[in-house]
Coordinates of all heavy atoms in Angstrom, one line a residue:
M1 N 0.8 -1.2 0.0 CA 0.0 0.0 0.0 C 0.9 1.2 0.0 O 1.9 1.3 0.8 CB -0.9 0.0 1.2 CG -1.9 1.1 1.3 SD -3.2 0.6 0.1 CE -4.5 1.6 0.5
L2 N 0.5 2.2 -0.9 CA 1.3 3.5 -0.9 C 0.8 4.4 0.1 O -0.4 4.5 0.4 CB 1.2 4.1 -2.3 CG 2.0 3.4 -3.4 CD1 1.7 4.0 -4.8 CD2 3.5 3.6 -3.1
A3 N 1.7 5.3 0.6 CA 1.3 6.3 1.5 C 0.5 7.4 0.7 O 0.6 7.5 -0.6 CB 2.5 7.0 2.1
E4 N -0.4 8.1 1.3 CA -1.2 9.1 0.7 C -0.4 10.1 -0.1 O -0.7 10.5 -1.2 CB -2.1 9.8 1.7 CG -3.0 10.8 1.1 CD -3.9 11.4 2.1 OE1 -4.4 10.7 3.0 OE2 -4.2 12.6 2.0
R5 N 0.8 10.5 0.4 CA 1.7 11.5 -0.2 C 2.9 10.8 -0.7 O 4.0 11.2 -0.3 CB 2.0 12.6 0.8 CG 0.7 13.3 1.3 CD 1.1 14.5 2.0 NE 1.6 15.5 1.1 CZ 1.5 16.7 1.2 NH1 0.9 17.3 2.2 NH2 2.0 17.6 0.3
S6 N 2.8 9.9 -1.6 CA 3.9 9.2 -2.2 C 4.5 10.0 -3.4 O 3.9 10.9 -3.8 CB 3.4 7.8 -2.6 OG 4.5 7.0 -2.9
T7 N 5.6 9.5 -3.9 CA 6.2 10.1 -5.0 C 6.0 9.2 -6.3 O 5.6 8.1 -6.2 CB 7.8 10.2 -4.8 OG1 8.3 8.9 -4.7 CG2 8.1 11.0 -3.6
V8 N 6.3 9.8 -7.4 CA 6.1 9.1 -8.7 C 7.1 7.9 -8.7 O 6.8 6.8 -9.1 CB 6.4 10.0 -9.9 CG1 6.5 9.2 -11.2 CG2 5.3 11.1 -10.0
G9 N 8.3 8.1 -8.2 CA 9.3 7.1 -8.1 C 8.8 5.9 -7.2 O 8.9 4.8 -7.6
A10 N 8.2 6.3 -6.1 CA 7.7 5.2 -5.2 C 6.5 4.5 -5.9 O 6.4 3.3 -5.7 CB 7.2 5.8 -3.9
L11 N 5.7 5.2 -6.6 CA 4.6 4.6 -7.3 C 5.1 3.6 -8.4 O 4.6 2.4 -8.5 CB 3.7 5.6 -8.0 CG 2.6 5.1 -8.9 CD1 1.6 4.2 -8.1 CD2 1.8 6.2 -9.6
L12 N 6.1 4.0 -9.1 CA 6.7 3.0 -10.1 C 7.2 1.8 -9.4 O 7.0 0.7 -9.9 CB 7.8 3.8 -10.9 CG 8.5 2.9 -11.9 CD1 7.5 2.3 -13.0 CD2 9.6 3.7 -12.6
G13 N 8.0 2.0 -8.3 CA 8.5 0.8 -7.6 C 7.4 -0.1 -7.1 O 7.5 -1.3 -7.2
H14 N 6.4 0.5 -6.6 CA 5.2 -0.2 -6.1 C 4.6 -1.1 -7.2 O 4.3 -2.3 -7.1 CB 4.2 0.7 -5.5 CG 2.9 0.0 -5.2 ND1 2.7 -0.8 -4.1 CD2 1.7 0.0 -5.8 CE1 1.4 -1.3 -4.0 NE2 0.8 -0.8 -5.1
L15 N 4.3 -0.4 -8.4 CA 3.7 -1.2 -9.5 C 4.6 -2.2 -10.0 O 4.2 -3.3 -10.5 CB 3.4 -0.2 -10.6 CG 2.2 0.8 -10.3 CD1 2.1 1.9 -11.3 CD2 0.9 0.1 -10.0
A16 N 6.0 -2.0 -10.0 CA 6.9 -3.0 -10.5 C 6.9 -4.2 -9.7 O 7.1 -5.3 -10.1 CB 8.3 -2.4 -10.6
H17 N 6.6 -4.1 -8.4 CA 6.5 -5.2 -7.5 C 5.1 -5.8 -7.4 O 5.0 -7.0 -7.3 CB 7.0 -4.8 -6.1 CG 8.4 -4.6 -6.0 ND1 9.0 -3.3 -6.2 CD2 9.5 -5.5 -5.9 CE1 10.3 -3.5 -6.1 NE2 10.6 -4.7 -6.0
A18 N 4.1 -5.0 -7.6 CA 2.7 -5.5 -7.5 C 2.2 -6.2 -8.8 O 1.6 -7.2 -8.7 CB 1.8 -4.3 -7.1
I19 N 2.6 -5.6 -9.9 CA 2.1 -6.1 -11.2 C 3.3 -6.1 -12.2 O 3.2 -5.4 -13.2 CB 0.9 -5.4 -11.7 CG1 1.1 -3.9 -11.7 CG2 -0.4 -5.7 -11.0 CD1 0.0 -3.1 -12.4
P20 N 4.3 -6.8 -11.9 CA 5.6 -6.7 -12.7 C 5.4 -7.0 -14.2 O 6.1 -6.5 -15.0 CB 6.5 -7.7 -12.0 CG 5.7 -8.6 -11.3 CD 4.5 -7.8 -10.9
E21 N 4.6 -8.0 -14.5 CA 4.4 -8.4 -15.9 C 3.3 -7.6 -16.7 O 3.2 -7.9 -17.9 CB 4.2 -9.9 -16.0 CG 5.3 -10.7 -15.4 CD 6.6 -10.4 -16.0 OE1 6.7 -10.3 -17.2 OE2 7.6 -10.2 -15.2
Q22 N 2.6 -6.8 -16.0 CA 1.6 -5.9 -16.7 C 2.3 -4.9 -17.6 O 3.3 -4.3 -17.2 CB 0.8 -5.2 -15.7 CG -0.3 -4.4 -16.3 CD -1.5 -5.2 -16.7 OE1 -1.7 -6.3 -16.2 NE2 -2.2 -4.7 -17.7
E23 N 1.8 -4.7 -18.8 CA 2.4 -3.7 -19.7 C 2.2 -2.3 -19.2 O 1.1 -1.9 -18.8 CB 1.8 -3.8 -21.1 CG 2.3 -5.1 -21.8 CD 1.8 -5.1 -23.3 OE1 0.8 -4.5 -23.6 OE2 2.5 -5.8 -24.1
A24 N 3.3 -1.5 -19.2 CA 3.3 -0.2 -18.8 C 3.4 0.8 -19.9 O 2.8 1.9 -19.9 CB 4.4 0.1 -17.8
V25 N 4.2 0.4 -20.9 CA 4.5 1.2 -22.1 C 4.3 0.4 -23.4 O 4.9 -0.7 -23.4 CB 5.9 1.8 -22.0 CG1 6.2 2.6 -23.3 CG2 6.1 2.6 -20.8
V26 N 3.6 0.9 -24.3 CA 3.5 0.2 -25.6 C 3.8 1.3 -26.6 O 3.1 2.3 -26.8 CB 2.0 -0.3 -25.9 CG1 1.9 -0.9 -27.2 CG2 1.7 -1.3 -24.8
W27 N 4.9 1.1 -27.3 CA 5.4 2.0 -28.3 C 6.0 1.1 -29.4 O 7.2 0.8 -29.4 CB 6.5 2.9 -27.8 CG 7.1 3.9 -28.7 CD1 8.2 3.7 -29.5 CD2 6.7 5.2 -28.9 NE1 8.4 4.8 -30.2 CE2 7.6 5.8 -29.8 CE3 5.7 6.0 -28.3 CZ2 7.5 7.1 -30.2 CZ3 5.7 7.4 -28.7 CH2 6.5 7.9 -29.7
P28 N 5.1 0.6 -30.3 CA 5.5 -0.4 -31.3 C 6.9 0.0 -32.0 O 7.0 1.1 -32.4 CB 4.4 -0.4 -32.3 CG 3.2 0.0 -31.4 CD 3.7 1.0 -30.5
P29 N 7.7 -1.0 -32.0 CA 7.6 -2.4 -31.7 C 7.9 -2.7 -30.2 O 7.9 -3.8 -29.8 CB 8.6 -3.1 -32.6 CG 9.7 -2.2 -32.7 CD 9.0 -0.8 -32.7
Q30 N 8.3 -1.6 -29.4 CA 8.7 -1.8 -28.1 C 7.5 -1.9 -27.1 O 6.5 -1.2 -27.2 CB 9.6 -0.6 -27.6 CG 10.3 -0.8 -26.3 CD 11.2 0.4 -26.1 OE1 11.2 1.4 -26.8 NE2 12.0 0.3 -25.1
R31 N 7.6 -2.9 -26.2 CA 6.6 -3.1 -25.1 C 7.4 -3.2 -23.8 O 8.3 -4.1 -23.8 CB 5.7 -4.3 -25.4 CG 5.0 -4.2 -26.7 CD 4.2 -5.4 -27.1 NE 2.9 -5.4 -26.6 CZ 1.9 -4.8 -27.3 NH1 2.1 -4.1 -28.4 NH2 0.6 -4.8 -26.8
L32 N 7.1 -2.5 -22.8 CA 7.7 -2.6 -21.5 C 6.7 -2.9 -20.4 O 5.7 -2.3 -20.3 CB 8.4 -1.2 -21.2 CG 9.6 -0.8 -22.0 CD1 10.0 0.6 -21.6 CD2 10.7 -1.7 -22.0
T33 N 7.1 -3.9 -19.7 CA 6.3 -4.2 -18.4 C 6.7 -3.2 -17.3 O 7.7 -2.5 -17.5 CB 6.6 -5.6 -18.0 OG1 8.0 -5.7 -17.6 CG2 6.3 -6.7 -19.0
Y34 N 6.0 -3.2 -16.3 CA 6.3 -2.3 -15.1 C 7.7 -2.7 -14.6 O 8.5 -1.9 -14.2 CB 5.3 -2.4 -14.1 CG 4.1 -1.5 -14.4 CD1 2.9 -2.0 -14.8 CD2 4.2 -0.1 -14.3 CE1 1.8 -1.2 -15.2 CE2 3.1 0.7 -14.6 CZ 1.9 0.1 -15.0 OH 0.9 0.9 -15.4
A35 N 8.0 -4.0 -14.6 CA 9.3 -4.5 -14.1 C 10.4 -3.9 -15.0 O 11.5 -3.5 -14.5 CB 9.4 -6.0 -14.0
A36 N 10.2 -4.0 -16.3 CA 11.2 -3.5 -17.2 C 11.4 -2.0 -17.2 O 12.5 -1.5 -17.2 CB 10.9 -4.0 -18.7
L37 N 10.3 -1.4 -17.1 CA 10.3 0.1 -17.0 C 11.0 0.5 -15.7 O 11.9 1.5 -15.8 CB 8.9 0.7 -17.0 CG 8.7 2.2 -16.9 CD1 9.4 2.9 -18.1 CD2 7.2 2.6 -16.8
Y38 N 10.8 -0.1 -14.6 CA 11.5 0.2 -13.3 C 13.0 -0.1 -13.5 O 13.8 0.7 -13.0 CB 10.8 -0.6 -12.2 CG 11.4 -0.4 -10.9 CD1 11.2 0.9 -10.3 CD2 12.1 -1.3 -10.2 CE1 11.7 1.1 -9.0 CE2 12.7 -1.1 -8.9 CZ 12.5 0.2 -8.4 OH 13.0 0.4 -7.1
A39 N 13.3 -1.2 -14.1 CA 14.7 -1.6 -14.3 C 15.4 -0.5 -15.1 O 16.5 -0.1 -14.8 CB 14.8 -2.9 -14.9
Q40 N 14.8 0.0 -16.2 CA 15.4 1.0 -17.0 C 15.5 2.3 -16.3 O 16.5 3.0 -16.4 CB 14.6 1.1 -18.3 CG 14.8 0.0 -19.3 CD 14.2 0.2 -20.7 OE1 13.8 1.4 -21.0 NE2 14.0 -0.8 -21.4
A41 N 14.5 2.7 -15.6 CA 14.5 3.9 -14.8 C 15.6 3.9 -13.7 O 16.2 4.9 -13.5 CB 13.1 4.2 -14.2
T42 N 15.7 2.7 -13.1 CA 16.7 2.5 -12.1 C 18.1 2.7 -12.7 O 19.0 3.3 -12.1 CB 16.5 1.2 -11.4 OG1 15.3 1.1 -10.8 CG2 17.6 0.9 -10.3
A43 N 18.3 2.1 -13.9 CA 19.6 2.3 -14.5 C 19.9 3.8 -14.9 O 21.0 4.2 -14.7 CB 19.6 1.4 -15.8
V44 N 18.9 4.5 -15.3 CA 19.1 5.9 -15.6 C 19.4 6.6 -14.3 O 20.3 7.5 -14.3 CB 17.8 6.5 -16.3 CG1 17.9 8.0 -16.3 CG2 17.6 5.9 -17.7
A45 N 18.7 6.3 -13.2 CA 18.9 7.0 -11.9 C 20.3 6.7 -11.5 O 21.0 7.6 -11.0 CB 17.9 6.4 -10.9
G46 N 20.8 5.5 -11.6 CA 22.2 5.2 -11.3 C 23.2 6.0 -12.1 O 24.2 6.5 -11.6
G47 N 22.9 6.2 -13.4 CA 23.8 6.9 -14.3 C 23.8 8.4 -13.9 O 24.9 9.0 -13.8
L48 N 22.6 8.9 -13.6 CA 22.5 10.3 -13.2 C 23.3 10.6 -11.9 O 23.9 11.6 -11.7 CB 21.1 10.8 -13.1 CG 20.3 10.9 -14.4 CD1 18.8 11.0 -14.1 CD2 20.8 12.0 -15.2
W49 N 23.1 9.6 -10.9 CA 23.8 9.7 -9.6 C 25.3 9.7 -9.8 O 26.0 10.5 -9.2 CB 23.3 8.6 -8.7 CG 23.7 8.8 -7.3 CD1 24.9 8.3 -6.7 CD2 23.0 9.5 -6.3 NE1 24.9 8.7 -5.4 CE2 23.8 9.4 -5.1 CE3 21.8 10.1 -6.3 CZ2 23.4 10.0 -3.9 CZ3 21.4 10.7 -5.1 CH2 22.2 10.6 -3.9
G50 N 25.7 8.8 -10.7 CA 27.1 8.8 -11.0 C 27.7 10.0 -11.6 O 28.9 10.4 -11.5
L51 N 26.8 10.8 -12.3 CA 27.2 12.1 -12.9 C 27.2 13.2 -11.8 O 27.5 14.4 -12.1 CB 26.3 12.4 -14.1 CG 26.5 11.6 -15.3 CD1 25.4 11.9 -16.3 CD2 27.9 11.8 -15.9
G52 N 26.7 12.9 -10.6 CA 26.6 13.9 -9.6 C 25.3 14.6 -9.4 O 25.2 15.5 -8.6
I53 N 24.2 14.1 -10.0 CA 22.9 14.6 -9.8 C 22.4 14.1 -8.5 O 22.4 12.9 -8.2 CB 21.9 14.2 -11.0 CG1 22.5 14.6 -12.3 CG2 20.5 14.8 -10.8 CD1 22.6 16.1 -12.6
R54 N 21.9 15.1 -7.7 CA 21.4 14.7 -6.3 C 20.0 15.2 -6.2 O 19.5 16.0 -6.9 CB 22.3 15.4 -5.3 CG 23.8 14.9 -5.3 CD 23.8 13.4 -5.0 NE 25.1 12.8 -4.9 CZ 25.7 12.1 -5.9 NH1 25.1 11.9 -7.0 NH2 27.0 11.7 -5.8
P55 N 19.3 14.7 -5.2 CA 17.9 15.1 -4.9 C 17.8 16.6 -4.9 O 18.6 17.4 -4.3 CB 17.5 14.5 -3.6 CG 18.4 13.3 -3.5 CD 19.7 13.7 -4.2
G56 N 16.7 17.1 -5.6 CA 16.4 18.6 -5.6 C 17.1 19.3 -6.7 O 16.7 20.4 -7.1
E57 N 18.1 18.7 -7.4 CA 18.7 19.3 -8.5 C 17.9 19.2 -9.8 O 17.3 18.2 -10.1 CB 20.1 18.7 -8.8 CG 21.1 19.0 -7.7 CD 22.5 18.5 -8.1 OE1 23.0 19.0 -9.1 OE2 23.0 17.7 -7.3
L58 N 17.7 20.3 -10.5 CA 16.9 20.3 -11.7 C 17.6 19.6 -12.8 O 18.9 19.8 -13.0 CB 16.6 21.7 -12.1 CG 15.7 22.6 -11.1 CD1 15.6 24.0 -11.6 CD2 14.4 21.9 -10.9
V59 N 16.9 18.8 -13.6 CA 17.5 18.2 -14.8 C 16.7 18.6 -16.0 O 15.5 18.4 -16.1 CB 17.4 16.6 -14.6 CG1 17.9 15.9 -15.9 CG2 18.2 16.2 -13.4
A60 N 17.4 19.2 -17.0 CA 16.8 19.6 -18.2 C 16.7 18.4 -19.1 O 17.6 17.7 -19.3 CB 17.5 20.7 -18.9
L61 N 15.5 18.2 -19.7 CA 15.3 17.0 -20.5 C 14.8 17.4 -21.9 O 13.7 17.9 -22.0 CB 14.3 16.0 -19.8 CG 14.0 14.7 -20.4 CD1 15.2 13.9 -20.7 CD2 13.0 13.9 -19.6
L62 N 15.6 17.2 -22.9 CA 15.3 17.5 -24.3 C 15.3 16.2 -25.1 O 16.3 15.8 -25.6 CB 16.2 18.5 -24.8 CG 16.0 18.9 -26.3 CD1 14.7 19.6 -26.5 CD2 17.2 19.8 -26.8
V63 N 14.1 15.5 -25.1 CA 14.0 14.3 -25.8 C 12.6 14.3 -26.5 O 11.7 14.8 -25.9 CB 14.1 13.1 -24.8 CG1 13.9 11.8 -25.6 CG2 15.4 13.1 -24.1
S64 N 12.5 13.8 -27.7 CA 11.3 13.7 -28.4 C 10.3 12.8 -27.6 O 10.7 12.0 -26.7 CB 11.4 13.3 -29.8 OG 12.0 12.0 -29.9
N65 N 9.0 12.7 -28.1 CA 8.0 11.9 -27.4 C 8.3 10.4 -27.7 O 7.9 9.9 -28.8 CB 6.7 12.3 -27.9 CG 5.6 11.7 -27.2 OD1 5.7 11.1 -26.1 ND2 4.4 11.7 -27.8
R66 N 9.0 9.8 -26.8 CA 9.4 8.4 -27.0 C 9.6 7.7 -25.6 O 9.7 8.4 -24.6 CB 10.6 8.3 -27.9 CG 11.7 9.1 -27.5 CD 12.9 9.1 -28.5 NE 13.3 7.8 -28.9 CZ 13.1 7.3 -30.1 NH1 12.5 7.9 -31.0 NH2 13.5 6.0 -30.4
P67 N 9.7 6.4 -25.5 CA 9.9 5.8 -24.2 C 11.2 6.3 -23.5 O 11.1 6.3 -22.2 CB 10.1 4.3 -24.6 CG 9.3 4.1 -25.9 CD 9.6 5.4 -26.6
E68 N 12.2 6.7 -24.2 CA 13.4 7.2 -23.5 C 13.1 8.4 -22.6 O 13.7 8.6 -21.6 CB 14.5 7.5 -24.5 CG 15.1 6.2 -25.1 CD 14.3 5.7 -26.3 OE1 13.3 6.3 -26.7 OE2 14.7 4.6 -26.8
W69 N 12.1 9.2 -23.1 CA 11.7 10.4 -22.3 C 11.2 9.9 -21.0 O 11.5 10.4 -19.9 CB 10.7 11.2 -23.0 CG 10.4 12.6 -22.4 CD1 11.0 13.7 -22.7 CD2 9.7 12.8 -21.2 NE1 10.5 14.7 -21.9 CE2 9.7 14.2 -20.9 CE3 8.9 12.0 -20.3 CZ2 9.1 14.8 -19.9 CZ3 8.2 12.6 -19.3 CH2 8.3 14.0 -19.0
L70 N 10.3 8.9 -21.0 CA 9.6 8.4 -19.9 C 10.6 7.8 -18.9 O 10.6 8.0 -17.7 CB 8.6 7.4 -20.2 CG 7.7 6.8 -19.1 CD1 6.9 8.0 -18.4 CD2 6.7 5.9 -19.7
T71 N 11.5 6.9 -19.4 CA 12.5 6.2 -18.5 C 13.4 7.3 -17.9 O 13.8 7.1 -16.7 CB 13.3 5.1 -19.3 OG1 13.9 5.7 -20.4 CG2 12.4 4.0 -19.7
T72 N 13.8 8.3 -18.6 CA 14.7 9.3 -18.1 C 14.0 10.1 -17.0 O 14.5 10.4 -15.9 CB 15.2 10.2 -19.2 OG1 15.9 9.4 -20.1 CG2 16.2 11.2 -18.6
A73 N 12.7 10.5 -17.3 CA 12.0 11.3 -16.3 C 11.7 10.5 -15.0 O 11.8 11.0 -13.9 CB 10.6 11.8 -16.9
L74 N 11.4 9.2 -15.2 CA 11.2 8.3 -14.1 C 12.5 8.1 -13.3 O 12.5 8.0 -12.1 CB 10.5 7.0 -14.5 CG 9.1 7.2 -14.9 CD1 8.6 5.8 -15.6 CD2 8.2 7.6 -13.8
G75 N 13.6 8.0 -14.0 CA 14.9 7.9 -13.3 C 15.2 9.1 -12.5 O 15.7 9.0 -11.4
C76 N 14.8 10.3 -13.0 CA 15.0 11.5 -12.2 C 14.1 11.4 -11.0 O 14.5 11.8 -9.9 CB 14.6 12.7 -13.1 SG 15.9 13.1 -14.3
A77 N 12.9 11.0 -11.2 CA 11.9 10.9 -10.0 C 12.5 9.9 -9.0 O 12.3 10.2 -7.8 CB 10.6 10.4 -10.5
L78 N 13.1 8.8 -9.4 CA 13.6 7.9 -8.4 C 14.7 8.5 -7.5 O 14.9 8.1 -6.3 CB 14.2 6.7 -9.1 CG 13.2 5.7 -9.7 CD1 13.8 4.6 -10.5 CD2 12.3 5.1 -8.6
I79 N 15.4 9.5 -8.0 CA 16.5 10.1 -7.1 C 16.0 11.5 -6.6 O 16.8 12.1 -5.9 CB 17.8 10.3 -7.8 CG1 17.7 11.2 -9.1 CG2 18.4 8.9 -8.1 CD1 19.1 11.5 -9.7
G80 N 14.8 11.9 -6.9 CA 14.2 13.1 -6.4 C 14.7 14.4 -7.1 O 14.8 15.5 -6.5
A81 N 15.1 14.2 -8.4 CA 15.6 15.3 -9.2 C 14.5 15.8 -10.1 O 14.1 15.1 -11.0 CB 16.8 15.0 -10.0
P82 N 13.9 17.0 -9.9 CA 12.8 17.5 -10.8 C 13.2 17.6 -12.2 O 14.4 18.1 -12.5 CB 12.4 18.8 -10.1 CG 13.0 18.8 -8.8 CD 14.2 17.9 -8.8
V83 N 12.3 17.3 -13.1 CA 12.6 17.4 -14.6 C 12.1 18.8 -15.1 O 11.0 19.2 -14.8 CB 12.0 16.3 -15.3 CG1 12.0 16.5 -16.8 CG2 12.7 15.0 -15.0
V84 N 12.9 19.5 -15.9 CA 12.5 20.6 -16.6 C 12.4 20.1 -18.0 O 13.4 19.9 -18.7 CB 13.5 21.8 -16.5 CG1 13.1 22.9 -17.4 CG2 13.7 22.2 -15.1
A85 N 11.2 19.9 -18.5 CA 10.9 19.3 -19.8 C 11.1 20.4 -20.9 O 10.4 21.5 -20.8 CB 9.5 18.7 -19.9
L86 N 12.0 20.2 -21.8 CA 12.2 21.2 -22.9 C 11.6 20.6 -24.2 O 11.7 19.4 -24.4 CB 13.7 21.4 -23.1 CG 14.5 21.9 -21.9 CD1 16.0 21.9 -22.1 CD2 14.0 23.2 -21.4
S87 N 11.0 21.5 -25.0 CA 10.4 21.1 -26.2 C 11.4 21.0 -27.3 O 12.3 21.8 -27.5 CB 9.3 22.1 -26.6 OG 8.8 21.8 -27.9
T88 N 11.3 19.9 -28.1 CA 12.1 19.7 -29.3 C 11.8 20.8 -30.3 O 12.6 20.9 -31.3 CB 12.0 18.3 -29.8 OG1 10.6 18.1 -30.2 CG2 12.5 17.3 -28.9
W89 N 10.7 21.5 -30.2 CA 10.3 22.5 -31.1 C 10.8 23.9 -30.7 O 10.6 24.9 -31.4 CB 8.8 22.6 -31.2 CG 8.2 21.4 -31.9 CD1 7.9 20.2 -31.3 CD2 7.9 21.2 -33.2 NE1 7.4 19.3 -32.2 CE2 7.3 19.9 -33.4 CE3 7.9 22.0 -34.4 CZ2 6.9 19.4 -34.6 CZ3 7.5 21.5 -35.6 CH2 7.0 20.2 -35.7
S90 N 11.5 24.0 -29.6 CA 12.0 25.3 -29.1 C 13.1 25.8 -30.0 O 13.9 25.1 -30.6 CB 12.5 25.1 -27.7 OG 11.5 24.8 -26.8
R91 N 13.1 27.1 -30.1 CA 14.2 27.8 -30.8 C 15.3 28.0 -29.8 O 15.2 27.9 -28.6 CB 13.7 29.2 -31.3 CG 12.6 29.0 -32.4 CD 12.1 30.3 -32.8 NE 11.5 30.9 -31.6 CZ 11.1 32.2 -31.6 NH1 11.1 32.9 -32.6 NH2 10.6 32.7 -30.5
R92 N 16.5 28.3 -30.4 CA 17.7 28.5 -29.6 C 17.5 29.5 -28.4 O 17.9 29.2 -27.3 CB 18.9 28.9 -30.5 CG 20.1 29.1 -29.7 CD 21.2 29.6 -30.6 NE 22.4 29.8 -29.8 CZ 23.6 29.4 -30.2 NH1 23.8 28.9 -31.4 NH2 24.6 29.6 -29.4
V93 N 16.9 30.6 -28.7 CA 16.7 31.6 -27.6 C 15.9 31.1 -26.5 O 16.1 31.4 -25.3 CB 16.2 32.9 -28.2 CG1 14.8 32.8 -28.7 CG2 16.3 34.0 -27.2
E94 N 14.9 30.3 -26.8 CA 14.0 29.7 -25.8 C 14.8 28.6 -25.0 O 14.6 28.6 -23.7 CB 12.8 29.0 -26.5 CG 11.9 30.0 -27.1 CD 10.8 29.4 -28.1 OE1 11.2 28.4 -28.7 OE2 9.7 29.9 -28.1
L95 N 15.6 27.9 -25.6 CA 16.4 26.9 -24.9 C 17.4 27.5 -24.0 O 17.6 27.1 -22.9 CB 17.0 25.9 -25.9 CG 16.1 25.0 -26.6 CD1 16.9 24.2 -27.7 CD2 15.4 24.0 -25.7
E96 N 18.0 28.6 -24.5 CA 19.0 29.3 -23.7 C 18.4 29.9 -22.5 O 18.9 29.8 -21.4 CB 19.7 30.5 -24.5 CG 20.6 29.9 -25.6 CD 21.1 31.1 -26.5 OE1 20.5 32.2 -26.5 OE2 22.1 30.8 -27.2
Y97 N 17.2 30.4 -22.6 CA 16.4 31.0 -21.4 C 16.1 29.9 -20.4 O 16.4 30.0 -19.2 CB 15.2 31.7 -21.9 CG 14.3 32.2 -20.8 CD1 14.6 33.4 -20.2 CD2 13.2 31.5 -20.3 CE1 13.8 33.9 -19.1 CE2 12.4 32.0 -19.3 CZ 12.8 33.2 -18.7 OH 12.0 33.6 -17.6
A98 N 15.6 28.8 -20.9 CA 15.2 27.7 -20.0 C 16.5 27.1 -19.3 O 16.5 26.8 -18.1 CB 14.5 26.6 -20.8
L99 N 17.5 26.9 -20.0 CA 18.8 26.4 -19.5 C 19.4 27.3 -18.4 O 20.0 26.9 -17.5 CB 19.8 26.0 -20.5 CG 19.3 24.8 -21.4 CD1 20.3 24.5 -22.5 CD2 19.2 23.5 -20.6
A100 N 19.2 28.6 -18.7 CA 19.8 29.6 -17.7 C 19.0 29.4 -16.4 O 19.7 29.6 -15.3 CB 19.6 31.0 -18.2
I101 N 17.8 29.1 -16.4 CA 17.0 28.8 -15.1 C 17.5 27.6 -14.4 O 17.6 27.6 -13.2 CB 15.5 28.8 -15.5 CG1 15.0 30.1 -16.0 CG2 14.7 28.3 -14.3 CD1 13.6 30.0 -16.5
V102 N 17.8 26.5 -15.2 CA 18.3 25.3 -14.6 C 19.6 25.4 -14.0 O 19.9 24.7 -13.0 CB 18.2 24.2 -15.7 CG1 18.8 22.9 -15.2 CG2 16.8 24.0 -16.2
E103 N 20.5 26.2 -14.5 CA 21.9 26.3 -14.0 C 21.9 26.7 -12.6 O 21.5 27.2 -11.8 CB 22.7 27.3 -14.8 CG 23.0 26.7 -16.2 CD 24.0 27.6 -16.9 OE1 23.5 28.7 -17.3 OE2 25.1 27.2 -17.2

């Protein structure tokens, strides 16, 4: 059972244990179960941690609409690093402004 004020990372962990073989992501031809999604997000979280990202640090994410966006955002959630989602349609000046905020 999840606490009333749980995190997205905690929810993913809960679902990976409660219904590990249930499909979480369908992006043909790729299909990810909750267990696989959690494993990928955990790998991303480990990589980010290795790069020095810590809880509370903002992470700018510039990825098109695909499963990698989700696994990266969930990896950030697992370590408590908020995501600043950047649009792939943004112009340079817009990205410069957004990245200046993240720094």
Side-chain angles (χ1 to χ4, degrees):
M1 187 75 165
L2 284 174
E4 183 177 320
R5 300 189 69 148
S6 193
T7 65
V8 171
L11 174 61
L12 178 60
H14 171 77
L15 293 171
H17 289 95
I19 51 172
E21 298 307 313
Q22 183 74 29
E23 286 185 336
V25 177
V26 176
W27 181 273
Q30 190 174 11
R31 299 175 95 80
L32 295 174
T33 63
Y34 280 103
L37 181 60
Y38 183 69
Q40 288 187 15
T42 300
V44 169
L48 292 169
W49 192 269
L51 291 172
I53 304 298
R54 297 296 182 259
E57 291 187 59
L58 299 176
V59 175
L61 183 55
L62 178 62
V63 179
S64 61
N65 188 17
R66 52 187 308 109
E68 291 81 3
W69 191 100
L70 184 58
T71 56
T72 304
L74 290 171
C76 289
L78 287 172
I79 61 174
V83 169
V84 177
L86 303 174
S87 172
T88 57
W89 291 85
S90 295
R91 295 175 301 172
R92 181 182 177 138
V93 67
E94 295 166 325
L95 292 173
E96 287 172 345
Y97 177 79
L99 291 174
I101 294 170
V102 174
E103 288 185 296

